[in-house]
Amino acid sequence: MDKNEELINLAHRRYATKKYDPNKHITDKDWATIMEVARLSPSSMGFEPWQFLLIENKDLKQAMYDDAWGAQHSFDGADKFVVILARKDMDVNSPHIKHMSEDVQGHPFDVHSAFSKKIIDFQENDFQLNTSRELFDWTSKQTYIPLANMMSAAAALDIDSCPIEGFNRANIDRILADHNAFDPKKWGVSVMVSFGYRDQEITPKKRQPMEAVYRVIK
Ligand SMILES: Cc1cc2nc3c(=O)[nH]c(=O)nc-3n(C[C@H](O)[C@H](O)[C@H](O)COP(=O)(O)O)c2cc1C
């Protein structure tokens, strides 16, 4: 099989798992690989506005159960359950931006520099991220990049997954913050994802034809 065929097969192999086998467990090596792929994902300006919470606490899963209606089949059998957080503190004055610039990317940071002005101009004018909700939505959509990368990596390792947006965000934010999982001033829940081994057949893909989703503009 050539690489192209292999990639298409993996895209068919990944599907939204509705029934997991609770007796099957992901090896530490495979899990470390999935998390490393998440960590290496690209982000806008390289600011990595995310964190991944692996929820192992049974009481916490129980507390989330009713409000995370789209995750119930995952709570019932997935080996790993991850909540992906997105940052709220992402304006140019945020300590996170300074930390990423100086400690991770290795450039000196100054809120009055040309780079900072570029960030401000991008956020305020180019993308109009002028409210806390708009900023959160911007960071939140970036979290879907590691989400997708994790699911593709899992499929390549023959591990099943399910992306999850079926939850009441305000209630889940509150439950996790009450559990001291994060500071709700700095973080919010973006999306969830489960991993494990299926206890069902892989569902065949139902998709629009290529010509409905892909156009070449000349
Ligand atoms: C952002 C997003 C959120 C989703 N939320 C849920 C969910 O809460 N519960 C669920 O069972 N499936 C969820 N799904 C799975 C989709 O229904 C599924 O991916 C889609 O129907 C295509 O099927 P496939 O993934 O099996 O190819 C979600 C998918 C995405 C991408």
Side-chain angles (χ1 to χ4, degrees), residues 14-16 18 69-71 73 144 147 162-166 191 203 205 207:
R14 187 223 51 82
Y15 82 107
K18 307 292 178 188
W69 47 270
H73 47 75
Y144 285 66
L147 166 73
C162 186
I164 299 155
E165 265 182 350
V191 65
T203 53
K205 290 278 166 275
R207 294 291 191 270

Side-chain angles (χ1 to χ4, degrees), residues 42-139:
S43 55
S44 183
M45 294 178 246
F47 290 152
E48 303 174 31
W50 49 56
Q51 217 172 55
F52 306 88
L53 304 182
L54 175 64
I55 310 293
E56 293 193 328
N57 183 303
K58 286 202 174 75
D59 295 340
L60 182 55
K61 284 184 185 170
Q62 192 54 48
M64 292 164 69
Y65 197 88
D66 288 345
D67 286 307
W69 47 270
Q72 289 173 349
H73 47 75
S74 295
F75 287 135
D76 292 339
D79 187 46
K80 307 281 187 219
F81 190 85
V82 176
V83 172
I84 307 184
L85 303 181
R87 278 195 177 268
K88 292 179 174 172
D89 57 334
M90 283 295 288
D91 67 78
V92 82
N93 296 305
S94 152
H96 178 70
I97 305 277
K98 185 173 163 63
H99 161 67
M100 288 304 299
S101 300
E102 290 186 344
D103 307 327
V104 179
Q105 297 173 354
H107 325 124
F109 183 78
D110 168 4
V111 280
H112 304 295
S113 69
F115 177 56
S116 298
K117 287 204 178 81
K118 185 72 210 154
I119 298 172
I120 294 168
D121 191 45
F122 166 75
Q123 290 188 337
E124 291 183 359
N125 300 316
D126 293 339
F127 262 48
Q128 304 203 335
L129 309 173
N130 294 312
T131 65
S132 53
R133 177 62 197 242
E134 285 161 354
L135 266 179
F136 176 73
D137 286 346
W138 175 59
T139 59

